[in-house]
């Protein structure tokens, strides 16, 4: 099994080193091949997603991705910025189904900014559509406003678009995910204002006919943002578009105490996938050895489960992470009164030991 290892920028290489260490400790024969991506790709060959990196990602059975981005690339034209690497991989490989679980580990309820009774035992899954919406909709651009109150003024424009088949395929993924959980699916949209959302809602209702065992409800995105902090445990699976999902998944992540704990999977229709922590490249702490590698390690576990069919090894990694938390190991982002703060390598070593 070939795994493309793309560490990226900022804390990417540090957290990836720990995930690779954990994978190597499983005693399986994986072929791991590393390639530069993001700012590192730009430095290596003038593009955030170098041709060779894309090729490797296409060939591999799965992709393990660190994080991309650094302030020093903010002035580059958009097409050359590190973020284009992840957007390009999602688009080129048609990774349309993004799974972002938000689980509050019992040892970390104290690390959440919410009251413990609101978040303890939290286990929700956000299914975010990843190939469409305003992220990729054409036309887009900068121009002189052709009409309106400020005609002639400089304006930026983007297009929010969803086709019915696009909504349908993510709907199926979300319903099937709900079937494996509490069988409650909340579809989040803005159907009171947007046409794309109306189509989204109508399509969800139509697909629901094939999943009589799943309870479908609908929620406007503003209300969903509020309910997520008011009563997050009322949710089971949330399905939403690319833009709303970007925002809500960060919000959901923070309920758990730290975005540093949350893995994610982006899958195509054959369950080939890219696995990455839900957090970014954190350039402010890069190279200091303090970043939390657990989200990347848990992403490797998701990869074993969803793309490589190694459920038992995935379980082993997840149990090892739980054990390390029980033992009181913490990185700074998940520091709690009863734990001891260690560095990136130390917590990675603790996971290997627990394995
Ligand atoms: C995410 C990130 C990306 C996104 C950025 C880096 C392009 O925020 O994966 O949530 O907006 O999708
Ligand atoms: Mg985001």
């Amino acid at each position: 099994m070939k795994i493309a290892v793309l560490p990226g920028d900022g804390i990417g290489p540090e957290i990836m080193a720990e995930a690779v260490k954990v994978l190597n400790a499983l005693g399986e024969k994986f072929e791991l091949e590393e390639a530069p991506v993001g700012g590192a790709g730009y430095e290596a060959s003038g593009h955030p997603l170098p041709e060779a990196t894309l090729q490797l990602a296409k060939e591999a059975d799965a992709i393990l991705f660190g994080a991309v981005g650094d302030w020093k690339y903010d002035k580059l034209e958009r097409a050359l910025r590190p973020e284009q690497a992840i957007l390009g991989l999602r688009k080129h490989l048609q990774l349309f189904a993004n799974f972002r679980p938000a689980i509050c580990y019992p040892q970390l309820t104290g690390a959440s900014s919410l009251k413990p009774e609101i978040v303890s035992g939290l286990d929700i899954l956000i299914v975010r559509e990843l190939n469409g919406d305003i992220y990729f909709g054409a036309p887009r651009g900068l121009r002189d406003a052709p009409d309106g109150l400020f005609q002639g003024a400089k304006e930026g424009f983007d297009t929010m678009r969803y086709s019915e088949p696009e909504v349908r395929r993510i709907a199926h993924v979300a319903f099937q995910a709900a079937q494996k959980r509490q069988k409650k699916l909340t579809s989040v949209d803005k159907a009171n204002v947007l046409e794309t959302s109306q189509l989204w809602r109508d399509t969800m209702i139509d697909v629901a006919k094939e999943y009589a065992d799943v309870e479908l409800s609908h929620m406007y995105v503003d209300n969903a943002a509020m309910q997520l902090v008011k009563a997050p445990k009322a949710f089971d699976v949330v399905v939403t578009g690319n833009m709303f999902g970007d925002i809500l998944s960060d919000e959901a992540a923070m309920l758990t105490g730290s975005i540093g704990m949350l893995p994610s999977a982006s899958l195509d229709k054959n369950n080939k996938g890219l696995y990455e922590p839900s957090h970014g490249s954190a350039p402010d702490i890069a190279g200091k050895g303090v970043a939390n590698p657990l989200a990347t390690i848990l992403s490797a576990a998701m990869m074993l489960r969803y793309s490589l069919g190694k459920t038992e090894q995935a379980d082993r990694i997840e149990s090892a992470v739980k054990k390390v938390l029980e033992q009181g190991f913490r990185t700074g982002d998940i520091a709690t009164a009863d734990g001891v703060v260690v560095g990136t390598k130390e917590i990675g070593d603790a996971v290997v030991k627990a394995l």
Side-chain angles (χ1 to χ4, degrees):
M1 276 172 278
K2 186 163 178 172
I3 303 170
V5 174
L6 314 181
D9 311 319
I11 59 172
E14 294 162 68
I15 55 180
M16 188 60 82
E18 300 312 306
V20 165
K21 200 157 83 181
V22 169
L23 280 171
N24 285 332
L26 291 174
E28 296 269 342
K29 290 248 171 304
F30 297 123
E31 190 191 327
L32 303 176
E33 194 174 328
E34 198 177 308
V37 77
Y42 178 75
E43 301 293 350
S45 58
H47 195 277
L49 182 55
E51 196 48 49
T53 302
L54 179 59
Q55 220 32 59
L56 169 68
K58 282 183 175 164
E59 275 165 35
D61 297 297
I63 302 147
L64 195 57
F65 190 94
V68 291
D70 192 306
W71 303 301
K72 66 181 178 215
Y73 304 112
D74 280 355
K75 290 210 167 61
L76 287 176
E77 60 172 287
R78 186 173 304 281
L80 295 178
R81 285 193 214 158
E83 290 80 358
Q84 293 304 314
I86 185 67
L87 295 173
L89 283 166
R90 288 172 184 171
K91 199 69 185 169
H92 283 294
L93 302 179
Q94 294 183 47
L95 308 170
F96 69 92
N98 185 214
F99 287 74
R100 296 194 166 181
I103 295 171
C104 187
Y105 289 87
Q107 297 83 5
L108 301 182
T109 43
S112 174
S113 52
L114 269 70
K115 293 189 191 111
E117 64 269 27
I118 304 282
V119 293
S120 73
L122 179 81
D123 180 353
I124 63 180
L125 173 67
I126 298 197
V127 178
R128 170 187 176 197
E129 199 289 330
L130 215 50
N131 273 184
D133 206 348
I134 196 165
Y135 267 61
F136 294 101
R140 58 183 283 164
L142 291 165
R143 64 183 174 190
D144 295 333
D147 49 26
L149 188 57
F150 296 103
Q151 189 173 5
K154 200 168 172 144
E155 79 169 8
F157 62 104
D158 299 274
T159 308
M160 184 177 249
R161 289 171 74 157
Y162 264 123
S163 66
E164 199 196 309
E166 270 179 302
V167 180
R168 212 166 261 286
R169 65 177 181 177
I170 194 71
H172 282 289
V173 167
F175 275 102
Q176 283 161 25
Q179 277 182 325
K180 294 191 194 115
R181 297 173 45 107
Q182 306 303 310
K183 301 186 168 55
K184 267 175 54 187
L185 179 62
T186 309
S187 170
V188 171
D189 62 36
K190 189 72 186 173
N192 50 345
V193 179
L194 304 172
E195 305 302 334
T196 42
S197 280
Q198 191 57 57
L199 179 85
W200 177 280
R201 188 175 285 216
D202 294 344
T203 307
M204 286 289 159
I205 291 170
D206 196 44
V207 174
K209 293 177 193 150
E210 295 174 51
Y211 300 91
D213 55 334
V214 176
E215 183 197 318
L216 172 69
S217 60
H218 307 273
M219 202 178 267
Y220 296 137
V221 62
D222 48 349
N223 186 26
M226 181 170 73
Q227 297 303 329
L228 266 176
V229 285
K230 189 178 169 210
K233 283 188 267 184
F235 293 97
D236 176 24
V237 180
V238 173
V239 63
T240 189
N242 206 348
M243 182 81 253
F244 300 153
D246 179 45
I247 300 165
L248 293 181
S249 62
D250 264 31
E251 189 189 4
M254 209 49 224
L255 303 174
T256 69
S258 171
I259 199 167
M261 289 300 300
L262 299 180
S264 78
S266 305
L267 305 180
D268 75 2
K269 63 177 194 304
N270 302 316
N271 284 342
K272 170 166 172 173
L274 178 147
Y275 299 81
E276 59 174 325
S278 286
H279 60 72
S281 57
D284 54 329
I285 56 164
K288 295 188 178 152
V290 298
N292 184 351
L294 295 179
T296 314
I297 291 171
L298 290 168
S299 298
M302 276 185 113
M303 171 178 82
L304 293 165
R305 171 168 295 118
Y306 290 108
S307 288
L308 304 179
K310 299 260 172 207
T311 313
E312 202 188 310
Q313 303 294 30
D315 289 344
R316 281 182 67 202
I317 294 181
E318 285 161 2
S319 304
V321 167
K322 282 187 193 131
K323 178 141 188 225
V324 160
L325 294 175
E326 270 158 32
Q327 290 167 337
F329 290 103
R330 306 279 185 269
T331 41
D333 58 314
I334 51 171
T336 50
D338 58 348
V340 49
V341 173
V342 297
T344 310
K345 279 205 172 67
E346 288 72 29
I347 206 159
D349 287 341
V351 174
V352 169
K353 198 159 166 226
L355 270 179

